[in-house]
Amino acid sequence: MSRTFPLERLRNIGIIAHIDAGKTTLTESVLYYTGITYKKGGVDEGTTVTDWMEEERARGITITSAAITCQWTDYRINIIDTPGHVDFTAEVERCLRVLDGGVVLFDAVQGVEAQSETVWRQADKYHVPRICFVNKMERIGASYEHTVEMIEGRLHARALPIQLPVGSETSFQGVVDLIENKAYAKDGDRDKPVEEMPIPAELMANVKAARHNMIERVAESDDQMLSRYLDGVEFTPDEIRAGIRKATLAAKLVPCLCGSALSNKGVRPLLDAVGYYLPSPLDMPPTKAVDYKNNTELTMQVSDEEPFTALAFKVVTDPFVGRLVYFRVYSGTVRASDQVLNATRGKTERIGRLFLMHANKREELDEADTGSIVATLGLKNTFTGDTLSNMEKPVLLESIKFPEPVISIAIEPKSRADQDKMGEALRKLSEEDPTFKVKYNEETGQIVISGMGELHLEIITHRMLSEFGVSANVGNPRVAYKETVTAKAEAEGRFVRQSGGRGQYGDCWLEIEPAARGTGFEFVEKIKGGTIPRNYIPAIEAGVKEACETGSLAGYPIVDIKVTVFDGSYHEVDSNENAFKMAGSLGLKAGVHKAKPIILEPIMKMEVVSPKEFMGDVIGDISSRRAHIELIENRGDMVIISALIPLSETFGYTTALRSQTQGRASQSIEFNSYQEIPAFLLKELTDKTGTKNA
């Protein structure tokens, strides 16, 4: 088979940033200059390609990531435009897992914002090489130099400016390319070259110094270049670009560019930079996998000749074609109608029609080769994070981990007709979004949905009505508290029933102890002497896990706990799996009661940007909400307040902040950690649920 595009000329990239940095506007400019669209869409007008959902266009924000394939010069670029709002951080997480490179956007006025730090950490986690684009250079208060300083200071990155702006704010005219030593004005019409302009005389000294500093930094990153640099060799533009590329792929330097996506300045040089500096699939470290048959680790080669392996990273319910599964091909090729193995779930699947995606539009393909990001129909049992593999040589890739939901609401259908449709709607929405959870509360008879924030759940309920036609009554937001233990304890779980004939007999001894924060649940088996047959151990574990769903203090899930089964007894006739499952559940409840349980609450990292004149009121209000202020930073006429605040104290905060600051302040929050709640709140929670502190 012949490849559709050379691997070394393929770029799989994501556009990531804080909300309102201009990701979608930049994507629109990219689509225009690469010939995908004939004119740019606008976020305010609701005419953008990648924000195609009704909710996205109504709110002017990106909610779900959208994949676009385009071509620039002799490069094929697969672009994923990701959301910036923290409630949709899972979209960024799963996209970075399958991408090779990233373009990180920064607002030239705001610089490095709270969510900028989050997406940067996510990119670090997956070792994604990236370049930076300082956007909105035409706005009042824009500063390229200050943003670059913040990239180095707050993100601890070695920023490498390879451009300088010509002017700023309302006088922003274009950019100086330090590599070519040329200045460019507007990107202009896509069928014509970028408009070149003379470098202003007053900038000459700055350009010379910045170019010298750039070459010095690049040379320092490579021993061979450094030796030539010290010998006084003049590098050609191609040699400089090769050095920058090498340093970028090794994460030694992060090239920084600037411009304005809205006014078409600096977009075409950015596209050139994507080709020059970001990796192809061949440049990435070999992908590690586990052999499905013998459970040994192996390294996969990036080649069409290798067995097919892909990672499913997104599930979407398309109103026209049905259930679409997006996947990235790491090796081999796959054709429509091929049979593959879902190695994660051990199930055989058949690939349906294959599509190259252009947001919500589809281009049908016969096959997908290595490095491709495509979508397919027909995979009924494949979900986010699953590995699709060759039937003869199956392997298992590392899955994708997502944060746990921190906020819940009760939801109920308005009518019997809505009741019938609600279950299907919630099932499809939870398949799409791994951070959206649905649970039936048997005590109250309510359906409880959980997510990453108020906006997240608000959009879910709106989508239920607009896409699935389900009307629902929605309760007030509730914090997703957790329970854990602080001491080690042992307890017996004993379930014995005799009512004529065969009875029920299960008996186990459990050791309960705290685990490190954030580790979840760990089960260990240390049975000696066959006091419990090994075939009953999984049943005990199942019972323990089930009991962990409702804690002993206030009924919240138990987390960060290690449970060891070390002894017990069984009956030759009466013992069965169900009896040992009940014994495990009873043992866990008894042990947690002895192990000094506590309740944990989600703590959020909050950043407030406010005019200085309102600083006192803002700080006073934050402090009254049990917040711990970490940093107060001045930025021009504004002050940035960073704090850790309990999620329960943030409800309604946006409205309060607006009233305190005449609508001039803004805030963003993201999940930080779980911490023990104070004693007075513990009493409130246990009183509400009718339980008592152990």
Side-chain angles (χ1 to χ4, degrees), residues 439-448 546 549-550:
K439 186 178 177 183
Y440 180 72
N441 189 321
E442 293 184 359
E443 292 180 6
T444 62
Q446 291 177 313
I447 295 172
V448 177
E546 192 175 285
E549 292 179 11
T550 52

Side-chain angles (χ1 to χ4, degrees), residues 561-574:
I561 187 172
K562 180 181 177 182
V563 179
T564 304
V565 55
F566 63 90
D567 201 0
S569 61
Y570 73 102
H571 190 280
E572 295 255 352
V573 177
D574 293 347

Side-chain angles (χ1 to χ4, degrees), residues 414-454:
K414 285 187 175 179
S415 67
R416 185 172 291 277
D418 291 319
Q419 187 174 9
D420 296 337
K421 292 185 287 186
M422 182 180 279
E424 181 69 8
L426 291 174
R427 181 185 66 79
K428 288 180 177 178
L429 289 167
S430 61
E431 281 185 7
E432 287 186 18
D433 186 348
T435 59
F436 172 61
K437 307 288 186 187
V438 182
K439 186 178 177 183
Y440 180 72
N441 189 321
E442 293 184 359
E443 292 180 6
T444 62
Q446 291 177 313
I447 295 172
V448 177
I449 59 175
S450 304
M452 299 307 296
E454 290 180 85

Side-chain angles (χ1 to χ4, degrees), residues 242-291:
I244 294 172
R245 177 178 178 79
K246 188 175 180 182
T248 304
L249 299 186
K252 292 180 179 178
L253 294 172
V254 182
C256 295
L257 302 90
C258 61
S260 168
L262 189 63
S263 55
N264 296 330
K265 293 173 185 171
V267 176
R268 291 167 82 172
L270 175 64
L271 280 167
D272 290 335
V274 167
Y276 287 143
Y277 310 124
L278 291 182
S280 75
L282 292 171
D283 296 313
M284 298 302 289
T287 304
K288 287 186 167 43
V290 174
D291 189 296

Side-chain angles (χ1 to χ4, degrees), residues 490-496 505-512 523-525 527 531-533 536-537 539-544 563-570 575 577 579-591:
E490 293 181 358
E492 181 183 23
R494 185 177 176 85
F495 182 74
V496 180
Y505 187 95
D507 176 43
C508 63
W509 275 91
L510 304 177
E511 181 184 77
I512 318 290
F523 184 82
V524 180
E525 180 263 315
I527 295 293
T531 54
I532 300 177
Y536 293 138
I537 301 300
I540 296 172
E541 182 178 2
V544 168
V563 179
T564 304
V565 55
F566 63 90
D567 201 0
S569 61
Y570 73 102
S575 286
E577 289 185 357
F580 273 101
K581 182 180 177 182
M582 287 298 298
S585 178
L586 293 169
L588 189 280
K589 289 176 180 176

Side-chain angles (χ1 to χ4, degrees), residues 484-488 514 595-598 676:
T484 191
V485 297
T486 57
K488 187 184 285 190
K596 297 182 180 176
I598 58 170
E676 183 178 355

